[in-house]
Amino acid sequence: MNLKKNKIGLLGGTFDPPHKGHLAISKEAARRFKLKNVIWAITKKNPFKKQSSLKLSLRIKYCKEIIKKFSFIKVIFYEDKIKSNKTINLINYLRRDKSSEIYFIMGADNLINFHKWHKWREISKKCNIVVFDRFGYKKKSLNSTTYKKLNKENLKFIEFNKVNISSSQLRKI
């Protein structure tokens, strides 16, 4: 019996603030990999950054406003449920559903320091990693420790019509 996997995209982050770039890569990942859903997993705080500028409740609200026309995208805060903000713990939680195949979505800027993430090698073994090119990050991400050490079967580097925007830029406005 051939059981078809339920393909789920996972885009994690602070979404401080959410923007059309998050939406663009979610839509592109869903189209390219035939994802049933894309989960925007919001974290209270990125362990590599300072405190978020917007409260969690506002970030969730803004995310829901951006995705309201796209029912395949779900905004979920898991940290209270799984008692962790670690990506590997969220992936393990989502993998309890054996029929799911996870596509972890990130920007090329995140690939550069991915080797510093908690259990990064384990993350790469438990899901497909989909890296979207971002302006100014391609060369550095393709030369990163992570890119050099990960199995390229699990890692897909996606070039597409990039949206030149970032949460960091928006916070400066």
Side-chain angles (χ1 to χ4, degrees), residues 1 3 6 38 47 93 125 167 169-170:
M1 179 165 44
L3 295 175
N6 184 24
V38 174
Y93 177 80
K125 291 174 184 169
S167 295
Q169 289 172 327
L170 290 173

Side-chain angles (χ1 to χ4, degrees), residues 55-108:
K55 291 170 73 173
L56 177 65
S57 59
L58 268 180
R59 290 183 277 133
I60 291 170
K61 177 185 174 197
Y62 294 157
C63 283
K64 287 181 177 180
E65 286 175 12
I66 288 175
I67 61 129
K68 64 184 168 196
K69 293 180 185 173
F70 304 96
S71 60
F72 71 94
I73 302 174
K74 311 293 181 202
V75 177
I76 304 174
F77 176 70
Y78 283 101
E79 291 176 16
D80 289 341
K81 186 180 288 191
I82 66 171
K83 307 291 185 234
S84 173
N85 69 345
K86 303 291 185 214
T87 301
I88 188 62
N89 294 333
L90 176 55
I91 290 168
N92 287 336
Y93 177 80
L94 295 173
R95 288 188 68 209
R96 295 181 318 162
D97 177 356
K98 301 293 183 211
S99 69
S100 292
E101 181 177 1
I102 299 170
Y103 288 73
F104 186 70
I105 303 165
M106 71 168 76

Side-chain angles (χ1 to χ4, degrees), residues 114-115 117-124 146 149-150:
F114 188 66
H115 66 283
W117 290 28
H118 181 70
K119 298 189 178 182
W120 67 280
R121 288 183 191 272
E122 193 176 332
I123 293 169
S124 71
T146 309
K149 292 190 176 185
L150 284 186

Side-chain angles (χ1 to χ4, degrees), residues 140-157:
K140 206 169 181 181
S141 64
L142 294 177
N143 286 320
S144 69
T145 300
T146 309
Y147 190 78
K148 290 176 180 176
K149 292 190 176 185
L150 284 186
N151 178 347
K152 303 306 180 292
E153 286 181 30
N154 293 33
L155 190 145
K156 305 288 183 246
F157 192 88

